Amino acid sequence: MDAEKKICIIGSGNWGSAIAKIVGTNAAQNPKFHTRVNMWVFEEMVNGRKLTEIINTEHENVKYLPGHTLPSNVRAVADLVEAVSGADVLLFVIPHQFIGKVCDTIKDQIRKDALGLSLIKGVDEGPDGLKLISAVIQEKLGITMSVLMGANIATEVAEDKFCETTIGCKNKDHGALLKELMQTKNFRITVVEESDVVEICGALKNIVAVGAGFCDGLGFGDNTKAAVIRLGLMEMIAFARLFCTAGPVSAATFLESCVADLITTSLTSSPPATAAATCFRSIEELEKEMLNGQKLQGPATAAEVFHILTRRNMVQEFPLFSAVYQICYEHHPVSEFISCLQNHPEHM
């Protein structure tokens, strides 16, 4: 790799833009990294102007992270191939359902010794079952992948409020470099080797958060939501131990910030899920109305997990995960959500 490592952020939603604020600042101050940071932006018009033009002139993502100034060395690029050209470190921050198309577009355009870091919270459903997003990227691009997951609400990260996150990386040197690129005084990083566990926690907690949103919408109260978080954590651990086959799953990894991620996301819940429980409209309708064009990750992840569990004949062992899927996609009444808690195997 070159002495000055070039960085590209693939994605510019609220989380991608918050990360651009950190990475742009660190890259400008650290001689290990090239000063300019490319950020791929899916081009769209905002008030008659191109979003890339707004970001590059006003240094603000007015659509997805309004009110926060991005470093001037962060350059919005509408052309994906141009954005990744020559990059030594690729940060993937897009909804997981788009990763296949993105990888297909850049697979012949990137450095073969590039390092990849996935900040994407989701899983894919492969022909043989569960497939982690980092594995999809690694398979399509042939580059070394690590993951970053944590209790990181984008607006709070952008506001420089203290939080923790976890990088899962099997190579210590790569982990140290990524930590140097990403860490700040208030964005504290722990590096662990069990990257698959870190990643699967980041994906599965989104299912639990939808359940927490149902609780809010149904007026169940904090006691019920606490039960959802605990039962959801039990299903996360059970699922991880079933499907993370690279080696033993250490209990200590669940105590890293990926578990804090579960708590934070569940306590803030999901406005579309909460609304779905109160007005009986579909998640898809409410996403369009409430998320400004972005996608809620919990329902899509629940669908992929449910299909995997169905093939393994294990639906009954994961009633909370299954209930979220059935409510979101099979039109089960949201009022039935409480029954999956009352009859959970943990209570038998």
Side-chain angles (χ1 to χ4, degrees), residues 48-278:
R49 296 175 64 193
K50 292 180 178 179
L51 183 55
T52 52
E53 177 194 330
I54 296 170
I55 293 172
N56 288 333
T57 56
E58 299 175 16
H59 308 296
E60 179 184 356
N61 189 334
V62 294
K63 180 163 186 181
Y64 297 115
L65 196 69
H68 295 281
T69 301
L70 300 178
S72 59
N73 60 314
V74 173
R75 175 174 169 259
V77 182
D79 186 282
L80 178 55
V81 171
E82 179 189 344
V84 303
S85 178
D88 299 292
V89 181
L90 301 167
L91 309 180
F92 295 87
V93 203
I94 56 176
H96 76 276
Q97 53 266 46
F98 302 132
I99 196 62
K101 184 176 180 181
V102 164
C103 288
D104 288 342
T105 302
I106 66 174
K107 63 183 177 182
D108 298 320
Q109 311 294 330
I110 60 170
R111 298 180 59 129
K112 295 308 175 188
D113 60 351
L115 299 181
L117 182 69
S118 173
L119 292 80
I120 300 169
K121 295 176 178 178
V123 292
D124 196 23
E125 183 192 352
D128 301 316
L130 176 77
K131 200 159 200 173
L132 298 175
I133 298 302
S134 64
V136 173
I137 299 171
Q138 187 162 328
E139 203 173 87
K140 283 182 172 288
L141 302 183
I143 62 174
T144 301
M145 287 298 301
S146 302
V147 300
L148 182 148
M149 304 283 154
N152 308 141
I153 296 171
T155 52
E156 294 187 10
V157 171
E159 290 164 2
D160 200 29
K161 293 180 178 177
F162 182 87
C163 65
E164 299 175 318
T165 199
T166 305
I167 288 179
C169 181
K170 298 184 187 304
N171 182 302
K172 289 185 179 179
D173 291 337
H174 294 169
L177 178 71
L178 292 169
K179 182 173 181 176
E180 201 167 338
L181 175 64
M182 308 291 290
Q183 182 164 267
T184 71
K185 180 180 68 173
N186 285 327
F187 190 67
R188 307 307 293 177
I189 293 173
T190 302
V191 181
V192 301
E193 291 187 19
E194 289 183 333
S195 57
D196 52 352
V197 179
V198 171
E199 184 170 5
I200 210 164
C201 282
L204 297 178
K205 61 88 187 180
N206 285 322
I207 305 176
V208 184
V210 173
F214 292 157
C215 289
D216 285 342
L218 293 165
F220 283 162
D222 291 338
N223 289 341
T224 310
K225 188 186 279 193
V228 167
I229 294 171
R230 187 190 76 82
L231 294 170
L233 176 59
M234 298 304 293
E235 292 194 15
M236 286 169 61
I237 293 172
F239 194 93
R241 287 184 166 152
L242 276 172
F243 293 97
C244 294
T245 57
V249 174
S250 166
T253 304
F254 291 104
L255 298 178
E256 292 295 341
S257 63
C258 46
V259 169
D261 193 9
L262 165 66
I263 297 168
T264 298
T265 312
S266 297
L267 290 181
T268 55
S269 75
S270 152
T274 301
T278 55

Side-chain angles (χ1 to χ4, degrees), residues 301-311 315 321-323 325-326 330:
T301 302
E304 284 143 0
V305 166
F306 185 82
H307 296 152
I308 291 163
L309 294 174
T310 300
R311 284 205 300 270
V315 169
F321 287 176
S322 300
Y325 166 79
Q326 289 162 339
E330 294 186 346

Side-chain angles (χ1 to χ4, degrees), residues 280-282 323-334 336:
F280 306 103
R281 290 166 61 197
S282 74
V324 170
Y325 166 79
Q326 289 162 339
I327 291 166
C328 290
Y329 291 102
E330 294 186 346
H331 308 296
H332 284 216
V334 71
E336 289 183 7

